[in-house]
Amino acid sequence: MFSKQLKFLREKNLLREIENRNSPQGAHIKIDGKEYINFSSNDYLGLANHPALLRASQRAIKKFGFGSGASRLLCGGSILHEELEKKIAGFKGTESALVFNSGYAANTGIIPAIAEEGDAIFSDELNHASIIDGCRLSRAKTYIYKHKNTGHLENLIRKTKSKRKIVVTDSVFSMDGDIAPLKELHELCFTLNSMPSAPCSLLLYIDDAHATGVLGKGRGSLEHFGIKPKPWIIQMGTFSKALGSFGAFVAGSKDTIEFILNTTRSFIFSTALPPCIIAASIAALELIEKKPALIKKLWSNRDKTAKGLTKLGYDIMGSETPIIPVKTGSIENTLKTSRYLLKKGIFAPAIRPPTVKEPRIRITVTAAHTDEDIEKLIKELS
């Protein structure tokens, strides 16, 4: 049925295949029995296989079993879910929080819930696919503003007459590694919310998936920019990246979270995450708070890698974070580079359209990488 489409993808070097590990996640992985240095994971702090998360998960299985059996609203949750929500609210400095099954489920559920017909959404052109799909599922009108261009955004907002206006942005852009201008976005929203003609009509929705555990001493992008949470700011984030677990969350005011709980279909109609996963997320949050050295190590590794690649003359496309894209030109050259690295024992897959407009090797650095790992990457790319 799809043979023609598959043939087209194959001819254009756009056909993708899955590589399955036969080892735990980490800075070093095994595929088909061969060991590779892993520069493709979002496990930024190296917690995915941390003993503290394993112990917490094992204890939860013994006490609560494995499966949840139902959605949270049908008693599928546990007291651990409530504990995690209190911890993440405290971690993010908000009144309340709610756990979701994934970042994708959060964005595709929350955005349609908070944006009704007659509302307007303003979305950065490089936002994650889950944000794009959330906007499409919404009955609101979506306006795309140029990447990180607050002037273009303000112009669109001022021209638009809507009941409610929602600015949606990634804080860290997952394929480019740059950071949204949240200070300027916050000031713009604050200014427009202060206008007598439209008080509190503008919401700022931040996808903090790649910033939680990475920026702001781990607390995320608002902490990074010194911005205090406001009732009109909604923060979404994940436990599946720097926190090494699985699932997602939304954090905000008590009223906002209560509304989301009662209206978001991806929450209402999804079976709750197993308690053992929730326990791992709790352990990860506690680790981040107790061991700030993990985040310092992450940034030390990031800076060493970025400087090494830049010194070799590579264009890292404005990266500001442990996500370091290496510009490689054509799709063919990107595939060639990825295959070369694979032969040298480095796992760094090619990123191609439609995921990105410009093909690249997306290097992700973690706290678990050693100096030797980074030096080998630099050497093989020299």
Side-chain angles (χ1 to χ4, degrees), residues 5-229:
Q5 292 94 325
L6 287 170
K7 182 181 178 183
F8 174 82
L9 291 174
R10 193 173 288 108
E11 288 174 348
K12 296 295 182 181
N13 286 319
L14 297 177
L15 192 67
R16 307 168 196 208
E17 296 177 346
I18 294 173
E19 297 283 359
N20 291 310
R21 289 179 288 108
N22 53 355
S23 69
Q25 178 61 258
H28 291 244
I29 58 173
K30 285 186 178 180
I31 299 173
D32 293 331
K34 183 177 178 180
E35 185 171 306
Y36 298 91
I37 304 172
N38 183 13
F39 280 105
S40 69
S41 172
N42 296 323
D43 180 26
Y44 299 115
L45 298 178
L47 299 183
N49 198 35
H50 194 283
L53 274 68
L54 299 181
R55 287 193 298 268
S57 184
Q58 289 163 355
R59 287 194 299 267
I61 285 178
K62 288 181 180 178
K63 183 173 182 178
F64 295 97
F66 185 77
S68 297
S71 70
R72 292 279 297 284
L73 295 176
L74 288 177
C75 205
S78 70
I79 57 173
L80 292 179
H81 290 74
E82 182 181 19
E83 181 183 345
L84 177 57
E85 287 165 349
K86 288 179 179 178
K87 280 187 177 293
I88 197 64
F91 190 69
K92 287 290 186 177
T94 61
E95 292 179 343
S96 191
L98 187 67
V99 170
F100 276 76
N101 285 18
S102 70
Y104 213 105
N107 281 337
T108 56
I110 296 169
I111 294 171
I114 64 175
E116 301 177 347
E117 188 173 359
D119 294 342
I121 299 172
F122 303 88
S123 179
D124 188 290
E125 67 177 330
L126 293 189
N127 275 341
H128 190 266
S130 59
I131 292 176
I132 294 169
D133 288 352
C135 293
R136 288 172 177 169
L137 287 169
S138 169
R139 290 176 293 168
K141 172 72 174 176
T142 300
Y143 299 87
I144 308 300
Y145 65 90
K146 296 174 185 176
H147 184 49
K148 295 169 51 172
N149 190 324
T150 53
H152 184 220
L153 170 62
E154 181 175 2
N155 187 46
L156 288 173
I157 291 173
R158 290 186 179 277
K159 283 182 177 179
T160 306
K161 299 183 184 297
S162 301
K163 294 187 299 181
R164 183 187 292 122
K165 301 174 183 181
I166 305 163
V167 176
V168 184
T169 186
D170 280 314
S171 52
V172 173
F173 293 90
S174 63
M175 289 296 143
D176 296 78
D178 57 339
I179 302 172
L182 283 182
K183 195 165 188 179
E184 290 82 357
L185 291 174
H186 172 267
E187 289 173 358
L188 174 61
C189 293
F190 178 81
T191 299
L192 295 177
N193 271 331
S194 301
M195 294 171 61
S197 58
C200 297
S201 64
L202 188 60
L203 296 175
L204 177 58
Y205 183 96
I206 302 168
D207 182 329
D208 229 24
H210 291 271
T212 301
V214 176
L215 298 183
K217 298 179 181 178
R219 296 181 186 274
S221 58
L222 291 187
E223 181 76 16
H224 175 76
F225 284 102
I227 300 169
K228 297 293 183 183

Side-chain angles (χ1 to χ4, degrees), residues 44-45 91 213-219 288-289 291-301 367:
Y44 299 115
L45 298 178
F91 190 69
V214 176
L215 298 183
K217 298 179 181 178
R219 296 181 186 274
I288 289 175
E289 292 182 309
K291 296 191 175 182
L294 279 172
I295 299 169
K296 289 181 181 179
K297 176 63 174 172
L298 168 66
W299 281 95
S300 173
N301 283 352

Side-chain angles (χ1 to χ4, degrees), residues 236-252:
M236 193 288 290
T238 58
F239 301 109
S240 55
K241 297 177 178 64
L243 276 71
S245 181
F246 188 69
F249 64 86
V250 60

